[in-house]
Structures are given as C-alpha cells and as structure tokens.
Amino acid sequence: MGAGPAGASLALLLARRGLPVNLIDTAGRGGRPFRGEGLMPSGLAALAAMGLLPLPPSVAQRPLAAWSFFLDGQLLFEAAEPMGSPVPCTLIDQDALLRELLSQAGRLPGFRFHQGQAVTDLLEQDGRIAGVRLADGTARDADLVVACDGRESLLRRKAELVLESAPSPLDVLWFRLEPQGAEALVHWLAGHFVTVVGAAGSYALFPSARGGVQLGWAIEPDRTAQTPTPASPKAWLELWARDAPEPLARLLRALTETAVQGPVRLPVRVGLCPRWQRPGLLLLGDAAHPMSPLRAQGINMALRDALVAARHLAPALQAGGPAAIDQAAAAITAARLPEIRRIQQ
C-alpha cells in the first residue's frame, strides 16, 4: 500500500524475483507539486544496489555543487560537494523516478498496479493480518501487507502500532518559482543549496531538477509565520529579499508574481515506531518513521528500507510460510532501526 519511493521500489524488487505483487495507491494520476528531490550518497548507494544507476535520461537530475549559508546578508560558510563521499548529493525529479520504477515493474508478469484505490481497513484471520479491504468493498487477500502509506499511515493506526513522536521545532511552507521567469535566479544559484537566515526568518532555496527553483520557508508549528503572513506573492518576494545577499535580493525582487506558486504547508513530524510489524503486516518508510525534510531524509531512508526489506522478504515469501515471513519482517526492523535512530538524532 503506497506507491512512493518505499512502495514502488520494493514492489519492483519483489516482482523481479518472480513474486506476485499488488501495489495499491490512493492517489490518481498526476504528480504532487512538492516532493523531496535530494538523493544523498546513502540513497544513491541504495539505487545502485537495486541496479537502477545510472538513472535513465527520463529522470531529470542535477548534481549539487555546494551548500551555502548566509546570515544577515553575509556569506557565513560554503561547503563544496561531494562531502565525505565519492559522489555528490543529486537533485532528481521524484515523480519521474517513481514513473520509472513503475514502468520497470509493469513489464514483469507478477506485478499489478491498482491506482486511485483507497484501502479502508485490514483483514484479519486467526490473529494474523490476511489482506486489505478497499473503499469499493473489494477484499484482497495477501501473505503479507506492506504499509508504505506515509507519515499519516492509516494502516499503522488500524494495526494499533504506536508511533512515538519527537517534538517538532518547525513547519515548512513550500514554494515553487516557475522556470519561466526564474532563469536568472537558477543561473545565480549555480547548483548551490542556499540557506538564508535573518531578522525576518529563515528559508532555503535550490534549483529544482524539474526546472525553476524550490523554496522552503521555516515557520513555528503553532503560528502561521514568525511575522504576519504576506498577502501576495510580491509581498513574499520582498520578505525573502529583505535578508538576502544583495545579488539574490535583486533577483527575487525582479520576479513576477505569476512565477510564485504556493505556499503548501508541510507539517514537520518526526517519529518512530519501535515495532514495525504484526503477523502478516510490515511498516516501511514514513509509515514506520516519519522523517524531517532536512537533507531529504524521507526518500533516502525509504529507498534503503526497501532494499533491506527485499533481501529478507524475497526468500521468505518464496518459501511461503507465515513463520518465515514474520521472522523476515522482524529481521528488517532490527536491521533498519539503528540507522533510522542515528539519522533522526
């Protein structure tokens, strides 16, 4: 359940092993305007282990050149990529990556994609999760249900698996500065991820792999913003320009209002399920461990979850016994918890 990075990649890996896989996703056609774009070295390593590197040309990608941090209009520091790794962090079009995963899976005989279908409940039999019920009343039996349905996971709640939440110091308002009109800004960024901190607040912006620029404005969770929310795109541009270095401020003020899309509010929730499984059920990705958006942790940890899960699950599912499947699910949790805890800390 869930065709994000964890669900789509796990479905592909299991279908490659000849297993019958039903991937169910609530969303209809069309991508989301804001998705994590940053593949860290850890996520790139997972894709390489899946045999998915190099990414095809259909997946737009842009290696990052550096991380720049400005305080009160002055450059505080700059760190060039790659940092402690042979490869740089790379921005990708996540929607295109998901389409590629689904395309590859769709060429395999055991894979079925059920798009635009909502799961409403879990089916139980003799104390074991035995499948799911869809919104249209259809029941689908399964040897294993894998919940990759995100930070607000319905299946996690239905399974009564407890999420331990950490305090959240911020939320993020996401904006997109459209390619037409933001060309000069993309040129100035030159592949840098830029963070700006000043009296008005703090924000980060970077050239999107999909074209244009993505910008995240940090706000306190219990308030709309530290300052009154601007009423128009032009007012947002002026607010960002106020604390920016002079060249960036000039480019922001030159943008037209039509170039500014958003904001979309992203509540930052960080949490962890100590238990990721019940008999017949496994949580992965944000369903098991909602991640901070900082450094695109969600997509990278989801890919690593799927890689480890496939290694344990494929032989257990091929053997076909409930005990082997549940033992594999427990092994996945044990293998993944140390890295997730380390990253979240």
Short mmCIF file of all heavy atoms in Angstrom, two decimals, residues 210-262:
data_model
loop_
_atom_site.label_atom_id
_atom_site.label_comp_id
_atom_site.label_asym_id
_atom_site.label_seq_id
_atom_site.Cartn_x
_atom_site.Cartn_y
_atom_site.Cartn_z
N ARG A 210 13.35 19.63 -11.74
CA ARG A 210 12.23 19.76 -12.68
C ARG A 210 12.23 21.12 -13.37
O ARG A 210 11.31 21.42 -14.14
CB ARG A 210 10.91 19.58 -11.93
CG ARG A 210 10.75 18.20 -11.28
CD ARG A 210 9.64 18.18 -10.25
NE ARG A 210 8.38 18.63 -10.80
CZ ARG A 210 7.31 18.93 -10.07
NH1 ARG A 210 7.38 18.88 -8.75
NH2 ARG A 210 6.20 19.30 -10.65
N GLY A 211 13.22 21.94 -13.10
CA GLY A 211 13.26 23.29 -13.64
C GLY A 211 12.75 24.28 -12.61
O GLY A 211 11.95 23.94 -11.73
N GLY A 212 13.20 25.51 -12.70
CA GLY A 212 12.81 26.51 -11.72
C GLY A 212 13.52 26.30 -10.40
O GLY A 212 14.59 25.69 -10.33
N VAL A 213 12.89 26.82 -9.34
CA VAL A 213 13.51 26.82 -8.01
C VAL A 213 12.48 26.38 -6.99
O VAL A 213 11.30 26.74 -7.08
CB VAL A 213 14.03 28.24 -7.66
CG1 VAL A 213 14.53 28.31 -6.21
CG2 VAL A 213 15.14 28.65 -8.63
N GLN A 214 12.91 25.57 -6.01
CA GLN A 214 12.07 25.29 -4.85
C GLN A 214 12.59 26.08 -3.67
O GLN A 214 13.80 26.27 -3.50
CB GLN A 214 12.06 23.79 -4.54
CG GLN A 214 11.24 22.99 -5.54
CD GLN A 214 10.62 21.74 -4.93
OE1 GLN A 214 10.23 21.73 -3.76
NE2 GLN A 214 10.50 20.70 -5.73
N LEU A 215 11.64 26.57 -2.84
CA LEU A 215 11.99 27.40 -1.70
C LEU A 215 11.15 26.96 -0.51
O LEU A 215 9.94 26.82 -0.61
CB LEU A 215 11.76 28.87 -2.01
CG LEU A 215 12.21 29.90 -0.97
CD1 LEU A 215 12.63 31.21 -1.65
CD2 LEU A 215 11.11 30.19 0.06
N GLY A 216 11.81 26.72 0.62
CA GLY A 216 11.12 26.36 1.85
C GLY A 216 11.33 27.43 2.91
O GLY A 216 12.46 27.78 3.23
N TRP A 217 10.22 27.95 3.44
CA TRP A 217 10.26 29.00 4.46
C TRP A 217 9.90 28.37 5.80
O TRP A 217 8.83 27.77 5.95
CB TRP A 217 9.25 30.09 4.09
CG TRP A 217 8.98 31.15 5.12
CD1 TRP A 217 7.96 31.19 6.01
CD2 TRP A 217 9.74 32.34 5.36
NE1 TRP A 217 8.03 32.31 6.78
CE2 TRP A 217 9.10 33.04 6.41
CE3 TRP A 217 10.89 32.88 4.78
CZ2 TRP A 217 9.59 34.25 6.90
CZ3 TRP A 217 11.38 34.08 5.27
CH2 TRP A 217 10.72 34.76 6.32
N ALA A 218 10.79 28.45 6.77
CA ALA A 218 10.58 27.83 8.08
C ALA A 218 9.65 28.68 8.93
O ALA A 218 9.80 29.91 9.00
CB ALA A 218 11.92 27.64 8.79
N ILE A 219 8.69 28.01 9.58
CA ILE A 219 7.77 28.72 10.48
C ILE A 219 7.62 27.92 11.76
O ILE A 219 7.91 26.73 11.82
CB ILE A 219 6.38 28.92 9.83
CG1 ILE A 219 5.73 27.56 9.51
CG2 ILE A 219 6.47 29.77 8.58
CD1 ILE A 219 4.31 27.68 9.02
N GLU A 220 7.16 28.60 12.80
CA GLU A 220 6.89 27.91 14.05
C GLU A 220 5.64 27.05 13.88
O GLU A 220 4.68 27.46 13.23
CB GLU A 220 6.69 28.93 15.17
CG GLU A 220 7.94 29.76 15.46
CD GLU A 220 7.68 30.84 16.50
OE1 GLU A 220 6.69 30.69 17.26
OE2 GLU A 220 8.43 31.82 16.54
N PRO A 221 5.60 25.85 14.48
CA PRO A 221 4.47 24.95 14.25
C PRO A 221 3.12 25.52 14.66
O PRO A 221 2.11 25.21 14.05
CB PRO A 221 4.83 23.72 15.10
CG PRO A 221 6.30 23.79 15.27
CD PRO A 221 6.66 25.24 15.29
N ASP A 222 3.09 26.35 15.70
CA ASP A 222 1.81 26.82 16.22
C ASP A 222 1.44 28.21 15.71
O ASP A 222 0.52 28.83 16.20
CB ASP A 222 1.83 26.84 17.75
CG ASP A 222 2.97 27.69 18.32
OD1 ASP A 222 3.86 28.06 17.54
OD2 ASP A 222 2.93 27.98 19.53
N ARG A 223 2.17 28.70 14.70
CA ARG A 223 1.85 30.01 14.14
C ARG A 223 1.95 29.95 12.63
O ARG A 223 2.63 29.10 12.06
CB ARG A 223 2.83 31.07 14.67
CG ARG A 223 2.72 31.29 16.17
CD ARG A 223 3.80 32.24 16.65
NE ARG A 223 3.75 33.54 15.99
CZ ARG A 223 4.65 34.49 16.16
NH1 ARG A 223 5.66 34.30 16.96
NH2 ARG A 223 4.54 35.63 15.52
N THR A 224 1.26 30.84 11.96
CA THR A 224 1.33 30.89 10.50
C THR A 224 2.72 31.28 10.05
O THR A 224 3.24 30.79 9.07
CB THR A 224 0.31 31.89 9.95
OG1 THR A 224 -0.98 31.51 10.42
CG2 THR A 224 0.32 31.89 8.43
N ALA A 225 3.37 32.17 10.77
CA ALA A 225 4.76 32.57 10.48
C ALA A 225 5.25 33.39 11.66
O ALA A 225 4.48 33.81 12.52
CB ALA A 225 4.83 33.40 9.19
N GLN A 226 6.55 33.60 11.69
CA GLN A 226 7.09 34.44 12.76
C GLN A 226 6.61 35.88 12.60
O GLN A 226 6.49 36.62 13.56
CB GLN A 226 8.62 34.41 12.73
CG GLN A 226 9.21 33.05 13.11
CD GLN A 226 9.51 32.21 11.88
OE1 GLN A 226 8.80 32.28 10.88
NE2 GLN A 226 10.55 31.40 11.96
N THR A 227 6.39 36.28 11.37
CA THR A 227 5.85 37.60 11.07
C THR A 227 4.50 37.40 10.40
O THR A 227 4.19 36.31 9.94
CB THR A 227 6.78 38.36 10.11
OG1 THR A 227 6.98 37.56 8.94
CG2 THR A 227 8.13 38.61 10.76
N PRO A 228 3.65 38.41 10.34
CA PRO A 228 2.36 38.24 9.67
C PRO A 228 2.54 37.68 8.26
O PRO A 228 3.44 38.07 7.53
CB PRO A 228 1.79 39.67 9.67
CG PRO A 228 2.45 40.34 10.84
CD PRO A 228 3.83 39.75 10.92
N THR A 229 1.68 36.76 7.89
CA THR A 229 1.79 36.11 6.59
C THR A 229 1.58 37.13 5.47
O THR A 229 0.56 37.81 5.44
CB THR A 229 0.74 35.00 6.45
OG1 THR A 229 0.91 34.09 7.53
CG2 THR A 229 0.90 34.27 5.14
N PRO A 230 2.52 37.22 4.54
CA PRO A 230 2.31 38.11 3.40
C PRO A 230 1.03 37.75 2.64
O PRO A 230 0.67 36.59 2.52
CB PRO A 230 3.55 37.88 2.54
CG PRO A 230 4.60 37.44 3.52
CD PRO A 230 3.86 36.61 4.53
N ALA A 231 0.38 38.78 2.14
CA ALA A 231 -0.92 38.57 1.49
C ALA A 231 -0.80 38.31 0.01
O ALA A 231 -1.79 37.96 -0.64
CB ALA A 231 -1.80 39.80 1.73
N SER A 232 0.39 38.45 -0.57
CA SER A 232 0.53 38.30 -2.02
C SER A 232 1.90 37.72 -2.35
O SER A 232 2.84 37.83 -1.54
CB SER A 232 0.37 39.65 -2.71
OG SER A 232 1.46 40.50 -2.39
N PRO A 233 2.06 37.12 -3.53
CA PRO A 233 3.38 36.65 -3.93
C PRO A 233 4.44 37.75 -3.91
O PRO A 233 5.58 37.52 -3.52
CB PRO A 233 3.14 36.12 -5.35
CG PRO A 233 1.70 35.72 -5.37
CD PRO A 233 1.01 36.73 -4.50
N LYS A 234 4.04 38.96 -4.32
CA LYS A 234 5.01 40.06 -4.33
C LYS A 234 5.50 40.37 -2.92
O LYS A 234 6.69 40.66 -2.71
CB LYS A 234 4.36 41.31 -4.95
CG LYS A 234 5.37 42.31 -5.49
CD LYS A 234 6.13 41.75 -6.69
CE LYS A 234 7.09 42.77 -7.27
NZ LYS A 234 7.89 42.17 -8.38
N ALA A 235 4.60 40.27 -1.94
CA ALA A 235 5.00 40.52 -0.56
C ALA A 235 5.93 39.42 -0.05
O ALA A 235 6.86 39.70 0.72
CB ALA A 235 3.75 40.61 0.33
N TRP A 236 5.71 38.17 -0.48
CA TRP A 236 6.63 37.10 -0.11
C TRP A 236 8.02 37.38 -0.70
O TRP A 236 9.04 37.22 -0.01
CB TRP A 236 6.13 35.76 -0.62
CG TRP A 236 5.14 35.07 0.27
CD1 TRP A 236 3.81 34.87 0.04
CD2 TRP A 236 5.41 34.49 1.56
NE1 TRP A 236 3.24 34.20 1.09
CE2 TRP A 236 4.20 33.96 2.03
CE3 TRP A 236 6.56 34.38 2.34
CZ2 TRP A 236 4.11 33.31 3.27
CZ3 TRP A 236 6.47 33.73 3.57
CH2 TRP A 236 5.25 33.21 4.03
N LEU A 237 8.06 37.78 -1.95
CA LEU A 237 9.35 38.07 -2.59
C LEU A 237 10.10 39.16 -1.85
O LEU A 237 11.32 39.08 -1.65
CB LEU A 237 9.12 38.47 -4.05
CG LEU A 237 8.63 37.35 -4.98
CD1 LEU A 237 8.16 37.93 -6.32
CD2 LEU A 237 9.72 36.31 -5.20
N GLU A 238 9.37 40.19 -1.41
CA GLU A 238 10.00 41.27 -0.67
C GLU A 238 10.50 40.78 0.68
O GLU A 238 11.60 41.17 1.14
CB GLU A 238 9.01 42.42 -0.49
CG GLU A 238 9.55 43.61 0.30
CD GLU A 238 10.82 44.20 -0.32
OE1 GLU A 238 10.94 44.21 -1.57
OE2 GLU A 238 11.69 44.64 0.45
N LEU A 239 9.74 39.91 1.34
CA LEU A 239 10.15 39.38 2.63
C LEU A 239 11.44 38.57 2.50
O LEU A 239 12.37 38.71 3.30
CB LEU A 239 9.04 38.50 3.22
CG LEU A 239 9.25 37.96 4.63
CD1 LEU A 239 9.30 39.10 5.65
CD2 LEU A 239 8.16 36.98 5.00
N TRP A 240 11.51 37.73 1.46
CA TRP A 240 12.73 36.93 1.24
C TRP A 240 13.92 37.84 0.90
O TRP A 240 15.04 37.60 1.35
CB TRP A 240 12.51 35.93 0.13
CG TRP A 240 11.40 34.95 0.39
CD1 TRP A 240 10.98 34.49 1.60
CD2 TRP A 240 10.55 34.36 -0.59
NE1 TRP A 240 9.92 33.63 1.45
CE2 TRP A 240 9.63 33.52 0.12
CE3 TRP A 240 10.45 34.41 -1.97
CZ2 TRP A 240 8.65 32.76 -0.53
CZ3 TRP A 240 9.48 33.67 -2.62
CH2 TRP A 240 8.59 32.86 -1.90
N ALA A 241 13.66 38.86 0.10
CA ALA A 241 14.75 39.74 -0.34
C ALA A 241 15.34 40.54 0.82
O ALA A 241 16.53 40.89 0.80
CB ALA A 241 14.23 40.69 -1.42
N ARG A 242 14.52 40.78 1.83
CA ARG A 242 14.94 41.66 2.93
C ARG A 242 16.21 41.16 3.63
O ARG A 242 17.07 41.94 4.04
CB ARG A 242 13.80 41.77 3.94
CG ARG A 242 13.87 42.95 4.88
CD ARG A 242 12.62 43.01 5.74
NE ARG A 242 11.40 43.10 4.92
CZ ARG A 242 10.17 42.87 5.38
NH1 ARG A 242 10.00 42.52 6.65
NH2 ARG A 242 9.13 42.98 4.59
N ASP A 243 16.36 39.85 3.77
CA ASP A 243 17.52 39.30 4.48
C ASP A 243 18.54 38.65 3.56
O ASP A 243 19.53 38.08 4.03
CB ASP A 243 17.05 38.25 5.50
CG ASP A 243 16.26 38.86 6.65
OD1 ASP A 243 16.62 39.96 7.09
OD2 ASP A 243 15.26 38.25 7.07
N ALA A 244 18.30 38.71 2.25
CA ALA A 244 19.17 38.02 1.29
C ALA A 244 20.41 38.86 0.97
O ALA A 244 20.40 40.09 1.13
CB ALA A 244 18.40 37.75 0.01
N PRO A 245 21.48 38.22 0.51
CA PRO A 245 22.62 38.98 -0.02
C PRO A 245 22.16 39.80 -1.22
O PRO A 245 21.20 39.42 -1.91
CB PRO A 245 23.63 37.91 -0.40
CG PRO A 245 22.83 36.67 -0.60
CD PRO A 245 21.70 36.75 0.37
N GLU A 246 22.84 40.88 -1.50
CA GLU A 246 22.35 41.86 -2.50
C GLU A 246 22.05 41.25 -3.86
O GLU A 246 20.97 41.52 -4.42
CB GLU A 246 23.36 42.99 -2.62
CG GLU A 246 22.83 44.22 -3.37
CD GLU A 246 22.92 44.03 -4.88
OE1 GLU A 246 23.85 43.33 -5.32
OE2 GLU A 246 22.05 44.57 -5.60
N PRO A 247 22.90 40.39 -4.43
CA PRO A 247 22.57 39.84 -5.75
C PRO A 247 21.29 39.00 -5.72
O PRO A 247 20.46 39.08 -6.64
CB PRO A 247 23.79 38.99 -6.11
CG PRO A 247 24.90 39.51 -5.25
CD PRO A 247 24.24 39.95 -3.99
N LEU A 248 21.11 38.20 -4.67
CA LEU A 248 19.91 37.37 -4.56
C LEU A 248 18.69 38.25 -4.33
O LEU A 248 17.62 38.02 -4.91
CB LEU A 248 20.07 36.37 -3.41
CG LEU A 248 18.84 35.50 -3.09
CD1 LEU A 248 18.38 34.71 -4.30
CD2 LEU A 248 19.15 34.56 -1.91
N ALA A 249 18.82 39.27 -3.50
CA ALA A 249 17.70 40.17 -3.23
C ALA A 249 17.22 40.84 -4.52
O ALA A 249 16.01 40.96 -4.77
CB ALA A 249 18.11 41.22 -2.20
N ARG A 250 18.16 41.26 -5.34
CA ARG A 250 17.80 41.91 -6.60
C ARG A 250 17.04 40.95 -7.53
O ARG A 250 16.05 41.32 -8.14
CB ARG A 250 19.07 42.41 -7.30
CG ARG A 250 18.80 43.22 -8.57
CD ARG A 250 20.08 43.85 -9.10
NE ARG A 250 21.04 42.83 -9.54
CZ ARG A 250 22.17 42.55 -8.90
NH1 ARG A 250 22.50 43.21 -7.80
NH2 ARG A 250 23.00 41.63 -9.36
N LEU A 251 17.48 39.71 -7.58
CA LEU A 251 16.82 38.72 -8.45
C LEU A 251 15.43 38.37 -7.93
O LEU A 251 14.49 38.19 -8.71
CB LEU A 251 17.68 37.46 -8.53
CG LEU A 251 19.00 37.61 -9.29
CD1 LEU A 251 19.89 36.40 -9.07
CD2 LEU A 251 18.73 37.81 -10.78
N LEU A 252 15.28 38.28 -6.62
CA LEU A 252 13.97 37.98 -6.06
C LEU A 252 12.97 39.11 -6.34
O LEU A 252 11.83 38.86 -6.72
CB LEU A 252 14.08 37.74 -4.55
CG LEU A 252 14.77 36.44 -4.12
CD1 LEU A 252 15.07 36.46 -2.62
CD2 LEU A 252 13.90 35.23 -4.48
N ARG A 253 13.41 40.33 -6.17
CA ARG A 253 12.52 41.46 -6.41
C ARG A 253 12.14 41.59 -7.88
O ARG A 253 11.11 42.18 -8.22
CB ARG A 253 13.16 42.75 -5.90
CG ARG A 253 13.26 42.82 -4.38
CD ARG A 253 13.79 44.17 -3.90
NE ARG A 253 13.70 44.30 -2.46
CZ ARG A 253 14.76 44.34 -1.64
NH1 ARG A 253 16.00 44.28 -2.14
NH2 ARG A 253 14.59 44.44 -0.34
N ALA A 254 12.97 41.02 -8.77
CA ALA A 254 12.70 41.11 -10.21
C ALA A 254 11.70 40.06 -10.69
O ALA A 254 11.19 40.16 -11.80
CB ALA A 254 14.01 40.97 -10.99
N LEU A 255 11.43 39.06 -9.85
CA LEU A 255 10.49 38.02 -10.26
C LEU A 255 9.06 38.56 -10.33
O LEU A 255 8.67 39.43 -9.56
CB LEU A 255 10.53 36.85 -9.27
CG LEU A 255 11.77 35.96 -9.30
CD1 LEU A 255 11.73 34.99 -8.13
CD2 LEU A 255 11.85 35.20 -10.61
N THR A 256 8.29 38.03 -11.25
CA THR A 256 6.88 38.41 -11.34
C THR A 256 6.05 37.57 -10.37
O THR A 256 6.45 36.47 -9.98
CB THR A 256 6.35 38.19 -12.77
OG1 THR A 256 6.41 36.79 -13.08
CG2 THR A 256 7.19 38.97 -13.78
N GLU A 257 4.90 38.09 -10.00
CA GLU A 257 4.03 37.37 -9.08
C GLU A 257 3.60 36.02 -9.65
O GLU A 257 3.41 35.05 -8.92
CB GLU A 257 2.80 38.21 -8.74
CG GLU A 257 3.12 39.45 -7.92
CD GLU A 257 1.87 40.03 -7.27
OE1 GLU A 257 0.94 39.26 -6.96
OE2 GLU A 257 1.82 41.26 -7.08
N THR A 258 3.44 35.93 -10.97
CA THR A 258 2.96 34.68 -11.58
C THR A 258 4.01 33.58 -11.49
O THR A 258 3.68 32.40 -11.66
CB THR A 258 2.60 34.91 -13.05
OG1 THR A 258 3.73 35.46 -13.74
CG2 THR A 258 1.42 35.86 -13.17
N ALA A 259 5.26 33.93 -11.21
CA ALA A 259 6.31 32.91 -11.08
C ALA A 259 6.25 32.19 -9.75
O ALA A 259 6.84 31.11 -9.60
CB ALA A 259 7.68 33.54 -11.25
N VAL A 260 5.52 32.74 -8.78
CA VAL A 260 5.49 32.19 -7.42
C VAL A 260 4.28 31.29 -7.26
O VAL A 260 3.13 31.74 -7.35
CB VAL A 260 5.46 33.31 -6.37
CG1 VAL A 260 5.47 32.72 -4.96
CG2 VAL A 260 6.64 34.25 -6.55
N GLN A 261 4.52 30.00 -7.04
CA GLN A 261 3.46 29.04 -6.78
C GLN A 261 3.56 28.59 -5.32
O GLN A 261 4.62 28.25 -4.84
CB GLN A 261 3.59 27.84 -7.71
CG GLN A 261 3.55 28.20 -9.18
CD GLN A 261 2.25 28.84 -9.59
OE1 GLN A 261 1.17 28.36 -9.23
NE2 GLN A 261 2.33 29.92 -10.34
N GLY A 262 2.43 28.54 -4.63
CA GLY A 262 2.41 28.14 -3.22
C GLY A 262 1.92 29.29 -2.37
O GLY A 262 1.46 30.32 -2.88
#
